[in-house]
PDB file of all heavy atoms in Angstrom:
ATOM      1  N   TYR F 653       8.149   0.350  18.579  1.00  0.00           N
ATOM      2  CA  TYR F 653       8.058  -0.726  17.593  1.00  0.00           C
ATOM      3  C   TYR F 653       6.637  -1.302  17.600  1.00  0.00           C
ATOM      4  O   TYR F 653       6.075  -1.556  18.656  1.00  0.00           O
ATOM      5  CB  TYR F 653       9.071  -1.819  17.945  1.00  0.00           C
ATOM      6  CG  TYR F 653       9.036  -3.001  17.029  1.00  0.00           C
ATOM      7  CD1 TYR F 653       9.666  -2.985  15.799  1.00  0.00           C
ATOM      8  CD2 TYR F 653       8.355  -4.163  17.402  1.00  0.00           C
ATOM      9  CE1 TYR F 653       9.631  -4.074  14.959  1.00  0.00           C
ATOM     10  CE2 TYR F 653       8.321  -5.262  16.571  1.00  0.00           C
ATOM     11  CZ  TYR F 653       8.958  -5.209  15.345  1.00  0.00           C
ATOM     12  OH  TYR F 653       8.916  -6.287  14.521  1.00  0.00           O
ATOM     13  N   SER F 654       6.055  -1.492  16.406  1.00  0.00           N
ATOM     14  CA  SER F 654       4.709  -2.055  16.281  1.00  0.00           C
ATOM     15  C   SER F 654       4.711  -3.181  15.270  1.00  0.00           C
ATOM     16  O   SER F 654       5.446  -3.144  14.279  1.00  0.00           O
ATOM     17  CB  SER F 654       3.715  -0.987  15.801  1.00  0.00           C
ATOM     18  OG  SER F 654       3.667   0.089  16.681  1.00  0.00           O
ATOM     19  N   GLY F 655       3.838  -4.140  15.474  1.00  0.00           N
ATOM     20  CA  GLY F 655       3.642  -5.231  14.523  1.00  0.00           C
ATOM     21  C   GLY F 655       2.189  -5.274  14.106  1.00  0.00           C
ATOM     22  O   GLY F 655       1.290  -5.159  14.953  1.00  0.00           O
ATOM     23  N   THR F 656       1.945  -5.393  12.805  1.00  0.00           N
ATOM     24  CA  THR F 656       0.584  -5.459  12.299  1.00  0.00           C
ATOM     25  C   THR F 656       0.425  -6.671  11.384  1.00  0.00           C
ATOM     26  O   THR F 656       1.400  -7.202  10.856  1.00  0.00           O
ATOM     27  CB  THR F 656       0.193  -4.181  11.524  1.00  0.00           C
ATOM     28  OG1 THR F 656       0.980  -4.071  10.339  1.00  0.00           O
ATOM     29  CG2 THR F 656       0.373  -2.937  12.367  1.00  0.00           C
ATOM     30  N   SER F 657      -0.821  -7.074  11.216  1.00  0.00           N
ATOM     31  CA  SER F 657      -1.179  -8.151  10.307  1.00  0.00           C
ATOM     32  C   SER F 657      -2.208  -7.604   9.327  1.00  0.00           C
ATOM     33  O   SER F 657      -3.135  -6.905   9.742  1.00  0.00           O
ATOM     34  CB  SER F 657      -1.789  -9.311  11.102  1.00  0.00           C
ATOM     35  OG  SER F 657      -2.379 -10.253  10.238  1.00  0.00           O
ATOM     36  N   VAL F 658      -2.041  -7.917   8.045  1.00  0.00           N
ATOM     37  CA  VAL F 658      -2.975  -7.457   7.019  1.00  0.00           C
ATOM     38  C   VAL F 658      -3.426  -8.673   6.211  1.00  0.00           C
ATOM     39  O   VAL F 658      -2.597  -9.421   5.705  1.00  0.00           O
ATOM     40  CB  VAL F 658      -2.333  -6.408   6.084  1.00  0.00           C
ATOM     41  CG1 VAL F 658      -3.320  -5.950   5.024  1.00  0.00           C
ATOM     42  CG2 VAL F 658      -1.817  -5.213   6.884  1.00  0.00           C
ATOM     43  N   VAL F 659      -4.745  -8.853   6.123  1.00  0.00           N
ATOM     44  CA  VAL F 659      -5.312  -9.933   5.319  1.00  0.00           C
ATOM     45  C   VAL F 659      -6.146  -9.298   4.210  1.00  0.00           C
ATOM     46  O   VAL F 659      -7.021  -8.468   4.476  1.00  0.00           O
ATOM     47  CB  VAL F 659      -6.188 -10.888   6.165  1.00  0.00           C
ATOM     48  CG1 VAL F 659      -6.840 -11.945   5.288  1.00  0.00           C
ATOM     49  CG2 VAL F 659      -5.353 -11.534   7.263  1.00  0.00           C
ATOM     50  N   ILE F 660      -5.852  -9.692   2.972  1.00  0.00           N
ATOM     51  CA  ILE F 660      -6.597  -9.208   1.809  1.00  0.00           C
ATOM     52  C   ILE F 660      -7.409 -10.381   1.283  1.00  0.00           C
ATOM     53  O   ILE F 660      -6.849 -11.413   0.910  1.00  0.00           O
ATOM     54  CB  ILE F 660      -5.649  -8.665   0.727  1.00  0.00           C
ATOM     55  CG1 ILE F 660      -4.800  -7.525   1.298  1.00  0.00           C
ATOM     56  CG2 ILE F 660      -6.439  -8.205  -0.500  1.00  0.00           C
ATOM     57  CD1 ILE F 660      -3.692  -7.047   0.379  1.00  0.00           C
ATOM     58  N   LYS F 661      -8.731 -10.214   1.273  1.00  0.00           N
ATOM     59  CA  LYS F 661      -9.631 -11.302   0.896  1.00  0.00           C
ATOM     60  C   LYS F 661     -10.551 -10.868  -0.236  1.00  0.00           C
ATOM     61  O   LYS F 661     -11.031  -9.733  -0.253  1.00  0.00           O
ATOM     62  CB  LYS F 661     -10.456 -11.712   2.122  1.00  0.00           C
ATOM     63  CG  LYS F 661     -11.340 -12.915   1.924  1.00  0.00           C
ATOM     64  CD  LYS F 661     -11.865 -13.436   3.250  1.00  0.00           C
ATOM     65  CE  LYS F 661     -13.181 -12.828   3.589  1.00  0.00           C
ATOM     66  NZ  LYS F 661     -13.831 -13.407   4.757  1.00  0.00           N
ATOM     67  N   ASN F 662     -10.783 -11.753  -1.190  1.00  0.00           N
ATOM     68  CA  ASN F 662     -11.719 -11.498  -2.278  1.00  0.00           C
ATOM     69  C   ASN F 662     -13.128 -11.700  -1.716  1.00  0.00           C
ATOM     70  O   ASN F 662     -13.481 -12.808  -1.293  1.00  0.00           O
ATOM     71  CB  ASN F 662     -11.443 -12.462  -3.430  1.00  0.00           C
ATOM     72  CG  ASN F 662     -12.274 -12.169  -4.654  1.00  0.00           C
ATOM     73  OD1 ASN F 662     -13.460 -11.880  -4.549  1.00  0.00           O
ATOM     74  ND2 ASN F 662     -11.649 -12.258  -5.810  1.00  0.00           N
ATOM     75  N   LYS F 663     -13.932 -10.638  -1.697  1.00  0.00           N
ATOM     76  CA  LYS F 663     -15.270 -10.731  -1.114  1.00  0.00           C
ATOM     77  C   LYS F 663     -16.171 -11.668  -1.904  1.00  0.00           C
ATOM     78  O   LYS F 663     -17.014 -12.348  -1.325  1.00  0.00           O
ATOM     79  CB  LYS F 663     -15.922  -9.347  -1.044  1.00  0.00           C
ATOM     80  CG  LYS F 663     -15.447  -8.493   0.094  1.00  0.00           C
ATOM     81  CD  LYS F 663     -16.279  -7.230   0.156  1.00  0.00           C
ATOM     82  CE  LYS F 663     -16.099  -6.520   1.465  1.00  0.00           C
ATOM     83  NZ  LYS F 663     -16.991  -5.361   1.578  1.00  0.00           N
ATOM     84  N   GLY F 664     -16.000 -11.725  -3.225  1.00  0.00           N
ATOM     85  CA  GLY F 664     -16.855 -12.561  -4.060  1.00  0.00           C
ATOM     86  C   GLY F 664     -16.605 -14.043  -3.903  1.00  0.00           C
ATOM     87  O   GLY F 664     -17.541 -14.839  -3.820  1.00  0.00           O
ATOM     88  N   THR F 665     -15.350 -14.426  -3.822  1.00  0.00           N
ATOM     89  CA  THR F 665     -15.005 -15.854  -3.749  1.00  0.00           C
ATOM     90  C   THR F 665     -14.702 -16.316  -2.331  1.00  0.00           C
ATOM     91  O   THR F 665     -14.704 -17.510  -2.066  1.00  0.00           O
ATOM     92  CB  THR F 665     -13.759 -16.159  -4.613  1.00  0.00           C
ATOM     93  OG1 THR F 665     -12.627 -15.485  -4.055  1.00  0.00           O
ATOM     94  CG2 THR F 665     -13.971 -15.743  -6.061  1.00  0.00           C
ATOM     95  N   GLY F 666     -14.421 -15.382  -1.436  1.00  0.00           N
ATOM     96  CA  GLY F 666     -14.050 -15.730  -0.074  1.00  0.00           C
ATOM     97  C   GLY F 666     -12.596 -16.150   0.068  1.00  0.00           C
ATOM     98  O   GLY F 666     -12.131 -16.410   1.169  1.00  0.00           O
ATOM     99  N   GLU F 667     -11.856 -16.216  -1.050  1.00  0.00           N
ATOM    100  CA  GLU F 667     -10.459 -16.633  -1.007  1.00  0.00           C
ATOM    101  C   GLU F 667      -9.570 -15.538  -0.428  1.00  0.00           C
ATOM    102  O   GLU F 667      -9.778 -14.355  -0.698  1.00  0.00           O
ATOM    103  CB  GLU F 667      -9.945 -16.952  -2.406  1.00  0.00           C
ATOM    104  CG  GLU F 667     -10.502 -18.205  -3.012  1.00  0.00           C
ATOM    105  CD  GLU F 667      -9.865 -18.473  -4.363  1.00  0.00           C
ATOM    106  OE1 GLU F 667     -10.021 -17.639  -5.273  1.00  0.00           O
ATOM    107  OE2 GLU F 667      -9.210 -19.521  -4.475  1.00  0.00           O
ATOM    108  N   ILE F 668      -8.563 -15.964   0.319  1.00  0.00           N
ATOM    109  CA  ILE F 668      -7.553 -15.018   0.790  1.00  0.00           C
ATOM    110  C   ILE F 668      -6.592 -14.782  -0.367  1.00  0.00           C
ATOM    111  O   ILE F 668      -6.015 -15.728  -0.903  1.00  0.00           O
ATOM    112  CB  ILE F 668      -6.822 -15.554   2.031  1.00  0.00           C
ATOM    113  CG1 ILE F 668      -7.792 -15.624   3.213  1.00  0.00           C
ATOM    114  CG2 ILE F 668      -5.626 -14.661   2.373  1.00  0.00           C
ATOM    115  CD1 ILE F 668      -7.205 -16.220   4.472  1.00  0.00           C
ATOM    116  N   VAL F 669      -6.452 -13.537  -0.767  1.00  0.00           N
ATOM    117  CA  VAL F 669      -5.540 -13.159  -1.850  1.00  0.00           C
ATOM    118  C   VAL F 669      -4.119 -13.083  -1.317  1.00  0.00           C
ATOM    119  O   VAL F 669      -3.181 -13.582  -1.934  1.00  0.00           O
ATOM    120  CB  VAL F 669      -5.966 -11.813  -2.486  1.00  0.00           C
ATOM    121  CG1 VAL F 669      -4.959 -11.339  -3.513  1.00  0.00           C
ATOM    122  CG2 VAL F 669      -7.365 -11.942  -3.108  1.00  0.00           C
ATOM    123  N   ALA F 670      -3.969 -12.462  -0.153  1.00  0.00           N
ATOM    124  CA  ALA F 670      -2.637 -12.331   0.447  1.00  0.00           C
ATOM    125  C   ALA F 670      -2.771 -12.096   1.944  1.00  0.00           C
ATOM    126  O   ALA F 670      -3.785 -11.592   2.425  1.00  0.00           O
ATOM    127  CB  ALA F 670      -1.871 -11.186  -0.198  1.00  0.00           C
ATOM    128  N   GLU F 671      -1.699 -12.457   2.633  1.00  0.00           N
ATOM    129  CA  GLU F 671      -1.623 -12.242   4.069  1.00  0.00           C
ATOM    130  C   GLU F 671      -0.242 -11.670   4.357  1.00  0.00           C
ATOM    131  O   GLU F 671       0.757 -12.215   3.894  1.00  0.00           O
ATOM    132  CB  GLU F 671      -1.817 -13.573   4.781  1.00  0.00           C
ATOM    133  CG  GLU F 671      -2.098 -13.456   6.232  1.00  0.00           C
ATOM    134  CD  GLU F 671      -2.544 -14.792   6.826  1.00  0.00           C
ATOM    135  OE1 GLU F 671      -2.479 -15.829   6.140  1.00  0.00           O
ATOM    136  OE2 GLU F 671      -2.944 -14.765   7.990  1.00  0.00           O
TER     137      GLU F 671
END
Side-chain angles (χ1 to χ4, degrees):
Y653 178 81
S654 301
T656 66
S657 169
V658 180
V659 176
I660 301 172
K661 186 167 92 172
N662 186 318
K663 281 187 165 185
T665 65
E667 289 183 298
I668 293 176
V669 174
E671 194 169 9

